[in-house]
Amino acid sequence: MEEKPVAMDEESISQRIDAKSHGLVLLIDDDPMVAEALRVMLENEDDLRMHYCSDASSALDVAEQLKPTVILLDMVMPDINGLMLLRYLRVNESTRAVPVVALSMKDDAKLKAEVFTAGGNDYLIKLPEAIELIARIRYHSNCYIRLLQRDEAFRALDISQRKLAASNIKLQQLASMDGLTGIPNRRYFQETMQNEWERATDDGKPLSVVLMDIDFFKKCNDHYGHQYGDEVLCKVAKAMESSMEHKSELVARFGGEEFVALLPGVDIDGAAAVGERLRKVVDSLKLDNVQSEVCAWVTISIGVSSCMPGTEGTFFEQLIKSADEALYEAKMQGRNRVVKSLDLNHSEGKSQ
């Protein structure tokens, strides 16, 4: 009559029970006659399967491996009594929620109270009538099965929500990144600038923009081909992004061969120094551009603008426009250089 326990996890049990509505009963009792009597009571019940364990000292291991949906536990056994084993079952991670029906020869109110205090779910006098035993086993087993299925549903929902959240983050990242260079795109730059403008307005700190353009990029594309042109854009973008020294500083692709850097808390002189560092970083790449009228490799021209956000009559669109005017001036002066715009708060935006 004794069967070898079969190891399976909660998910497999849940799936098996969900398909066939089967319950798995573990009887822990040192009396083989009681075990045989209970086996006979259950043998014609197609939805119930019984496993018998006569050794209380190994019962916890058997329960962990078998993963029953209900446990019938004798209260009087050698070595370990039923109450002690019940307490062990309740502190064990894999058995703490499994329904336990206590079996006893005594109709003892004190013992019943101790059983329920220790975490028992039911109490039966041996030997109960078959109809009552089966009804109670089915009730407790089905409750546990529903608990497993509910937990499994919650786990599946949690996994689904985590995957959805990760997908949303991924989509948000994709929407904010430039598809070619992998650095932030113009949309993300504009969103960030709006936020930094508001923060700088509250903090009373300057905000600077560095606008950059690759010199004679069209000639580079025409001479070497668009594949090389794309490679130039990627290498320039990564080099500039890697050269930024503070987390608050942002480099983005502004469009075409134009790039932009946003520098919170940096004044015009500090922004010009950052622009010069970026110019040197790109120059050091020595990317071929023999058609350039500046030199034989890729260079950039830079316009820098700065202001104190919140000053009356000053808007972040003006900051970008002023940097663009300074960039134009850098090109007029021969390219491959940095030109600063005058302070927006004290000028009409003329470059110097």
Side-chain angles (χ1 to χ4, degrees), residues 174 176-185 214 217 221 226-238 253 255-257 259:
L174 291 173
S176 63
M177 294 294 114
D178 177 59
L180 174 63
T181 63
I183 67 172
N185 57 21
I214 297 178
F217 182 72
N221 249 341
H226 289 285
Q227 184 174 349
Y228 178 75
D230 289 347
E231 183 180 337
V232 167
L233 291 172
C234 290
K235 288 182 177 180
V236 168
K238 291 301 181 184
R253 188 179 180 192
E257 64 270 23
F259 297 88

Side-chain angles (χ1 to χ4, degrees), residues 17 20-26 41-49 69-72 99 101 122 124 129-147:
I17 292 171
K20 297 183 179 181
S21 298
H22 281 191
L24 184 57
V25 182
L26 172 60
M41 291 182 190
L42 299 178
E43 66 179 350
N44 293 324
E45 306 302 319
D46 293 337
D47 61 331
L48 298 175
R49 172 187 162 207
T69 61
V70 65
I71 296 173
L72 303 180
V101 178
D122 210 339
L124 284 173
E129 292 291 333
I131 189 172
E132 180 183 7
L133 174 69
I134 293 168
R136 291 181 187 242
I137 287 175
R138 280 204 180 106
Y139 171 77
H140 291 297
S141 182
N142 289 338
C143 286
Y144 183 63
I145 290 169
R146 287 194 291 271
L147 176 65

Side-chain angles (χ1 to χ4, degrees), residues 297-311:
W297 54 83
V298 171
T299 59
I300 57 174
S301 297
I302 300 172
V304 177
S305 182
S306 182
C307 74
M308 294 291 294
T311 303

